[in-house]
Amino acid sequence: MAVEFGLFGGVEARADGRPIELGHARQRSVLAALLIDANRVTSVEQLVDRVWGERSPQRAEGTLYSYVSRLRQALAPVAGEARLSRASGGYVLAVDASTVDLHRFRDLTARARTADDDGTAASLLEQALGLWRGELFPSLDTPWFNSVRESLGRERFAAELDLGDVLLRLGRHAEMPFELAARTREHPLDERLAGQLMLALYRCGRPADALNHYRDLRSRLADDLGIDPGPELRHLHQQILTADPAIAVPSPADSPTTGAHPAPTPVPRQLPAPPPMFTGRDLEVKVLCGMLDPDEPRHAHVVAVDGVAGVGKSALALHASHRMAHGFPDGQLYVNLQGASAAGAPLTPYDVLVQWLPQLGVAGTDVPGETGAASALWRSVLAGRRLLLVLDDAFSAEQVRPLLPAERGCVTVVTSRSVLSTLDGAEFVHLEPLAQEEAVTLLERLAGAGRVVADPTAAGDVVGFCERLPLLLRIVAARLAARPSWSIRVIADRLAEEHRRLNELQAGELSARASLAVSLRETSEEGARVFASLAMVGVTELDLPLAASLADLPWAAAEAVLEQLVDARLIDSPVPGRYRMHDVVRLYAREQARVRADTAGWSATRRRVLDHYLALTQQAALLLDPEEASALTTGPPPAHPSGFAFDDRSEASAWIDFVAPHLPMIMDELAGSDDLTADIALLALEAYPALVVRDRWTELIRLSSIAVRTARDGDRRVLEARAHNLLGMAYGNTGRLDESLAEFDLALRQWEEIGDRHQMARALNNLGLVARLRGDLPEAVRCHERSILLFQEVGDSNGQARALSNLGLVHQRIGDHDQAIVAHEEAAGIFRTLGDRYRLGLILGNLARSVRLAGRIRESLDRYQDSLRVIRETGNRSGEAEQLWGLAQALHDLGESDLARAQWRAALDILRECGDLTAKEVEAILAQPVPQAPAAISRGV
């Protein structure tokens, strides 16, 4: 069984290409320490120092022993190739050094420096540098590992410099400027590197750029070190100035290569190592592998994987590409296009072509100097070949298009944060965050099973705070690896604090904040401003009117900018006109808002937010319950900040259902502004009719409670009294009768102090309702009768009719049906005069029931029919079912069993159509000798 060990880019082991589970980061650090000194004894004291440094636990040797024991178990399948054993005073890992990328790197660089010709040296150095998959063991942070990391970094840089000299002697300068320029940003004062870049630029026909680089370096050396460039670099500078033939492009005859036959074109194997901790994604892997199979008749020519930052696009692409690499015998090419890199600008297509064409045998001097020509040559070179191309982290379709092969035997995998929808013929894989179970499993593999098993609840919390994104889980695991005494609960509690969460999601070069900053960079300045404004209220889901109000833009203009943010994957748009921000994104946007907006800006935004809700709640109320809304409103609807208006009832209903869950929370946020208190209290009044129609009682309770508090704080007695009234109604409709009674009593006392007899009438009517529900019928009669007199006094016929209807229901409960009939008939007459057909239908039903209970059963049949005619006009389906049930009861009382059963079935069919009952429940009710009224028949009969 072939075994391979990796240290470059993370500690990993593979057996026959499959990853070996090595445990958590601290345990991996033990393996790393032994691999670095492979085949040599490492003492226990050395291992403790290497793994923990000065932070070793009390029982470090015992802990080390357990780590070694687990590593032996993990390596048991490859014990013949890698044997971990106890030796005198320590441990030794016996392996073939060529199976460890670090030792293979050192062997290849040593052989390159003694090679007989530059062609061989270049090949050996390229193989050596190709082993580096990333930073050396990035999650290990102790003084010893840091020292080794720095030392090996110097070895790598030396190999890069050696390769640069060899490539220049071979005439491969055309492929060098981009990589050399990136390297000079890391080593800005290295004169050997500067010389290589200057010579490569000169030979590419860019002498001005070469001279500019020399001037920049000379200036930096003078400023930072107070010295001039060395003699070799000054000499090269003079040679460029004079176009010295000695530095011209070497001819093939001049190139110091040997051998009777040209070297065969190498087969590139450039895929970085597969991600060792890849977890889940079974469906996506299956789909992607199917698309990458060139033997499948429907395989894809281009596959584009997209998703938000940190969702694991690159990991999925590499995992699937390694699985399917066997299907591409001519090789696999990989490039990071740096579309979302904080380190530098995205690569141009030409940057990639000058890297890739030489990999397939094209001499650097033969690469055309223009993108179109180089792209045409690229397509010609690929003709007849079967290659897998991985274009990681693309910025745009324009960046990718010149790199796409025409050859159907080649397959290209592209990853990008945005959807590259203009790539013709591409198949798309849209990546979502991991499933909860997958995310917990990944955290367990990254941070160690022991920590997760010890507190699965905390692990679930961490996964939630990390939005189930692999990048954020890796960051958390890295922080835990550096803090072995921390439990999962510690990091969960720290992440729970919103003000510090972004700081917690940062470890070394991994940073949620930096990743989001790159996405924000892709947007316009206006896009960045709007992005920041979206976080000025504490919700993660917004609709277009709210977003437009926050951004202070007309809604059509706001929509265009919001779509920019969707394209940049900073926000999602689950349905048209709705937008969603992940919590971490919202926290980053809130940081941006604090930078951009001053106190006046925040104040103006709060005002627009409140105006937005005032305008739309009043619009919705007038559409959903015009009678109630007209009675409660204090004036015409205010203009919406972005000019938005509802088209119809259905749009208003959908909006109320969307905003109701977060409306109280937003109003609570705004309540801290003294200048908004009155309007916050007013909002509850304006929203009441719409919230009631949509049955949003829980939200109404929260909103009314805020209204009471803000009105009291602002000394707005009228608004406070009205808010108490609303809160009493909300409590009453949710069965909290004692709390309802207390609120209505407070409202009545305040109205009496204010002297508003109209509102006193309303409060008394409400007190009567609660008294009836609590069974205090005499008190209910007293309250309703007082209320009726006050409504008559102030001329409110609508209020009078409602109070009469409620009085009739109390008389029904008492058993005084004649008085109930009188009250209901008077109420029906008023509603008929007012033209309120909806309430007229309901009152006629109450009247029919009173007549039936009074023993006038045949007369009640006509009364029920009167009620049904009006109710059917208004489309009140639940009211129709209720009156059909009453009609059935009357027919049953008359002995008309078959007719009664037909009406019962008709009522139940309506409830089934409305979703209140299932077909099975309907049949069960009808199977009863005398069907009992279901809960959906609200008043009972």
Side-chain angles (χ1 to χ4, degrees):
M1 183 176 290
V3 64
E4 293 178 298
F5 293 97
L7 295 172
F8 296 160
V11 183
E12 64 173 40
R14 307 182 74 80
D16 288 342
R18 293 190 297 274
I20 297 172
E21 176 56 62
L22 298 173
H24 54 75
R26 192 70 69 182
Q27 187 168 298
R28 287 168 179 264
S29 69
V30 175
L31 179 61
L34 293 169
L35 285 171
I36 290 169
D37 282 338
N39 302 311
R40 295 201 299 265
V41 176
T42 306
S43 71
V44 171
E45 292 77 10
Q46 286 176 313
L47 281 173
V48 169
D49 178 66
R50 293 177 181 185
V51 172
W52 284 285
E54 297 178 354
R55 300 193 300 268
S56 60
Q58 288 184 345
R59 296 176 52 81
E61 292 188 15
T63 304
L64 178 65
Y65 176 79
S66 69
Y67 289 169
V68 171
S69 177
R70 291 175 201 158
L71 286 171
R72 279 203 196 101
Q73 295 174 16
L75 297 175
V78 293
E81 288 77 23
R83 185 164 52 86
L84 176 54
S85 58
R86 180 83 183 187
S88 176
Y91 297 93
V92 62
L93 180 59
V95 293
D96 180 349
S98 67
T99 64
V100 183
D101 57 3
L102 165 60
H103 300 298
R104 193 157 67 253
F105 167 78
R106 286 173 167 167
D107 176 64
L108 289 167
T109 55
R111 287 163 54 196
R113 290 176 181 124
T114 60
D116 294 333
D117 62 86
D118 282 338
T120 301
S123 176
L124 291 169
L125 287 168
E126 285 174 334
Q127 289 180 57
L129 292 168
L131 296 171
W132 287 75
R133 298 170 286 111
E135 185 182 353
L136 191 67
F137 29 81
S139 63
L140 308 183
D141 182 19
T142 66
W144 185 81
F145 276 115
N146 292 339
S147 174
V148 172
R149 186 183 296 114
E150 292 175 8
S151 175
L152 285 170
R154 289 191 292 271
E155 290 184 40
R156 177 184 183 180
F157 183 46
E160 290 171 340
L161 290 173
D162 289 346
L163 178 60
D165 289 339
V166 171
L167 294 180
L168 286 168
R169 291 197 296 269
L170 288 171
R172 289 171 59 181
H173 50 273
E175 61 192 85
M176 299 177 65
F178 177 80
E179 287 191 11
L180 290 174
R183 209 166 290 149
T184 58
R185 287 193 288 272
E186 298 176 16
H187 307 279
L189 300 179
D190 190 280
E191 295 189 28
R192 183 180 172 193
L193 179 60
Q196 290 178 356
L197 177 57
M198 290 166 61
L199 186 54
L201 290 169
Y202 175 76
R203 289 179 175 175
C204 288
R206 299 166 58 187
D209 291 336
L211 294 171
N212 284 336
H213 185 68
Y214 177 81
R215 282 192 293 271
D216 291 343
L217 176 62
R218 183 177 60 190
S219 176
R220 177 170 288 206
L221 286 170
D223 292 343
D224 293 358
L225 304 177
I227 61 174
D228 290 326
E232 290 185 12
L233 197 63
R234 292 201 305 271
H235 179 62
L236 176 61
H237 174 242
Q238 187 63 32
Q239 288 178 301
I240 294 172
L241 285 172
T242 60
D244 188 339
I247 61 171
V249 178
S251 65
D254 296 331
S255 299
T257 58
T258 63
H261 303 286
T265 301
V267 176
R269 306 290 186 192
Q270 293 186 351
L271 292 179
M277 295 291 185
F278 188 84
T279 302
R281 305 283 193 202
D282 293 343
L283 177 60
E284 292 90 342
V285 170
K286 181 179 179 181
V287 169
L288 188 51
C289 287
M291 293 177 175
L292 299 186
D293 190 344
D295 295 324
E296 288 290 330
R298 296 185 62 187
H299 83 275
H301 181 47
V302 180
V303 181
V305 181
D306 66 83
V308 299
V311 78
K313 303 178 290 295
S314 300
L316 173 66
L318 288 174
H319 182 80
S321 295
H322 274 280
R323 275 199 179 185
M324 305 308 297
H326 63 273
F328 301 92
D330 295 316
Q332 305 90 41
L333 291 168
Y334 171 88
V335 66
N336 185 336
L337 294 173
Q338 298 184 183
S341 171
L347 299 191
T348 67
Y350 187 77
D351 292 331
V352 179
L353 290 169
V354 297
Q355 291 182 49
W356 275 1
L357 281 166
Q359 298 295 321
L360 298 181
V362 177
T365 53
D366 294 335
V367 177
E370 186 269 326
T371 301
S375 179
L377 175 60
W378 172 245
R379 291 191 294 274
S380 299
V381 168
L382 293 180
R385 303 194 193 208
R386 287 176 63 166
L387 281 98
L388 175 62
L389 313 179
V390 179
L391 304 175
D392 199 9
D393 193 16
F395 176 71
S396 66
E398 290 75 15
Q399 186 189 29
V400 169
R401 201 171 284 117
L403 306 175
L404 299 180
E407 183 62 42
R408 293 298 299 178
C410 296
V411 177
T412 304
V413 180
V414 187
T415 72
S416 175
R417 291 189 182 183
S418 58
V419 181
L420 304 181
S421 55
T422 57
L423 279 182
D424 294 337
E427 298 285 345
F428 296 96
V429 176
H430 305 294
L431 211 55
E432 296 293 332
L434 292 169
Q436 180 74 12
E437 185 177 345
E438 292 176 340
V440 172
T441 300
L442 177 59
L443 180 62
E444 183 176 310
R445 296 182 68 190
L446 290 168
R451 276 170 157 160
V452 172
V453 171
D455 195 341
T457 301
D461 292 343
V462 168
V463 164
F465 293 132
C466 291
E467 316 270 2
R468 295 176 285 117
L469 293 172
L471 171 64
L472 303 189
L473 292 170
R474 284 177 59 207
I475 293 172
V476 167
R479 288 179 63 78
L480 288 171
R483 297 159 179 82
S485 63
W486 282 19
S487 66
I488 288 279
R489 172 51 59 194
V490 170
I491 197 73
D493 290 344
R494 293 171 73 91
L495 288 168
E497 299 180 41
E498 285 196 349
H499 68 278
R500 72 190 305 171
R501 190 176 305 164
L502 286 174
N503 292 331
E504 295 297 320
L505 293 174
Q506 184 168 313
E509 78 283 4
L510 300 177
S511 167
R513 188 183 279 111
S515 180
L516 292 168
V518 173
S519 291
L520 189 60
R521 193 178 66 196
E522 297 175 19
T523 69
S524 63
E525 171 58 26
E526 180 69 344
R529 184 189 70 81
V530 171
F531 172 72
S533 73
L534 299 181
M536 295 175 84
V537 291
V539 295
T540 55
E541 291 197 48
L542 310 91
D543 57 8
L544 177 55
L546 175 58
S549 300
L550 286 164
D552 196 18
L553 289 172
W555 66 268
E559 186 173 31
V561 181
L562 290 165
E563 291 304 315
Q564 282 184 29
L565 300 178
V566 172
D567 291 340
R569 301 311 291 263
L570 286 165
I571 61 176
D572 297 328
S573 180
V575 296
R578 297 275 173 83
Y579 300 93
R580 181 174 56 208
M581 302 175 79
H582 290 290
D583 257 336
V584 171
V585 178
R586 176 180 60 83
L587 296 175
Y588 178 66
R590 179 62 69 98
E591 283 189 350
Q592 297 299 303
R594 292 194 186 100
V595 171
R596 287 174 168 270
D598 56 16
T599 302
W602 280 86
S603 179
T605 300
R606 292 189 187 98
R607 180 70 260 175
R608 289 196 305 274
V609 169
L610 187 50
D611 287 345
H612 154 80
Y613 284 111
L614 282 169
L616 294 192
T617 52
Q618 192 168 344
Q619 284 185 36
L622 288 167
L623 284 167
L624 297 176
D625 190 349
E627 288 289 338
E628 185 69 13
S630 297
L632 287 174
T633 189
T634 57
H640 187 268
S642 70
F644 185 84
F646 296 124
D647 290 330
D648 51 36
R649 283 175 56 91
S650 63
E651 191 176 13
S653 295
W655 183 80
I656 285 291
D657 290 340
F658 174 70
V659 303
H662 61 250
L663 182 58
M665 183 268 291
I666 292 177
M667 291 305 110
D668 204 24
E669 279 187 16
L670 297 178
S673 302
D674 293 340
D675 57 322
L676 303 181
T677 54
D679 283 342
I680 291 170
L682 182 62
L683 179 73
L685 303 174
E686 303 288 5
Y688 166 76
L691 291 171
V692 169
V693 169
R694 300 306 300 166
D695 201 27
R696 311 297 305 214
W697 294 105
T698 300
E699 289 87 354
L700 184 57
I701 287 172
R702 292 172 57 202
L703 193 60
S704 301
S705 299
I706 295 168
V708 168
R709 189 184 76 238
T710 55
R712 183 185 301 123
D713 292 345
D715 196 23
R716 305 283 183 143
R717 297 177 63 209
V718 170
L719 285 175
E720 183 185 352
R722 296 182 73 181
H724 279 302
N725 194 60
L726 287 186
L727 191 52
M729 287 188 280
Y731 281 141
N733 278 277
T734 53
R736 297 163 65 174
L737 299 182
D738 290 342
E739 291 161 289
S740 177
L741 183 67
E743 293 298 327
F744 284 139
D745 193 52
L746 282 170
L748 178 60
R749 288 207 300 271
Q750 287 185 324
W751 291 127
E752 287 173 340
E753 291 172 6
I754 294 167
D756 190 327
R757 299 178 71 76
H758 194 181
Q759 295 297 341
M760 288 168 57
R762 288 175 174 272
L764 283 164
N765 190 36
N766 290 328
L767 281 167
L769 286 169
V770 176
R772 173 167 63 88
L773 292 171
R774 297 175 77 234
D776 189 352
L777 301 183
E779 176 64 15
V781 170
R782 187 187 69 80
C783 289
H784 287 312
E785 287 179 342
R786 284 188 62 200
S787 172
I788 291 166
L789 292 173
L790 285 170
F791 277 127
Q792 286 177 321
E793 179 184 324
V794 299
D796 183 354
S797 299
N798 185 290
Q800 180 186 351
R802 294 187 189 204
L804 282 165
S805 175
N806 291 331
L807 179 61
L809 293 174
V810 176
H811 284 309
Q812 276 187 10
R813 286 279 301 276
I814 293 172
D816 191 348
H817 301 302
D818 290 338
Q819 287 296 321
I821 291 169
V822 170
H824 287 318
E825 284 181 332
E826 189 175 349
I830 295 173
F831 282 129
R832 189 176 286 111
T833 301
L834 293 173
D836 188 343
R837 306 291 286 174
Y838 179 85
R839 288 186 173 82
L840 175 61
L842 297 178
I843 291 300
L844 290 174
N846 290 340
L847 177 58
R849 184 165 187 259
S850 293
V851 169
R852 179 173 68 81
L853 293 174
R856 295 147 55 180
I857 298 173
R858 289 200 177 276
E859 181 185 346
S860 74
L861 298 179
D862 293 333
R863 301 285 191 170
Y864 278 119
Q865 293 293 353
D866 290 342
S867 173
L868 282 166
R869 277 193 295 272
V870 177
I871 282 176
R872 284 167 177 158
E873 286 177 19
T874 63
N876 182 354
R877 297 286 280 165
S878 61
E880 181 180 357
E882 185 177 322
Q883 302 317 316
L884 284 170
W885 196 274
L887 179 60
Q889 190 77 315
L891 288 167
H892 178 267
D893 291 346
L894 291 172
E896 300 285 355
S897 300
D898 291 342
L899 291 175
R901 191 159 291 275
Q903 301 306 318
W904 275 321
R905 175 171 287 280
L908 292 170
D909 284 344
I910 290 174
L911 296 179
R912 178 180 52 78
E913 291 168 9
C914 292
D916 294 315
L917 294 174
T918 65
K920 186 176 180 180
E921 288 170 334
V922 167
E923 295 307 319
I925 292 171
L926 288 173
Q928 300 169 6
V930 178
Q932 298 299 303
I937 301 294
S938 58
R939 291 181 178 80
V941 289

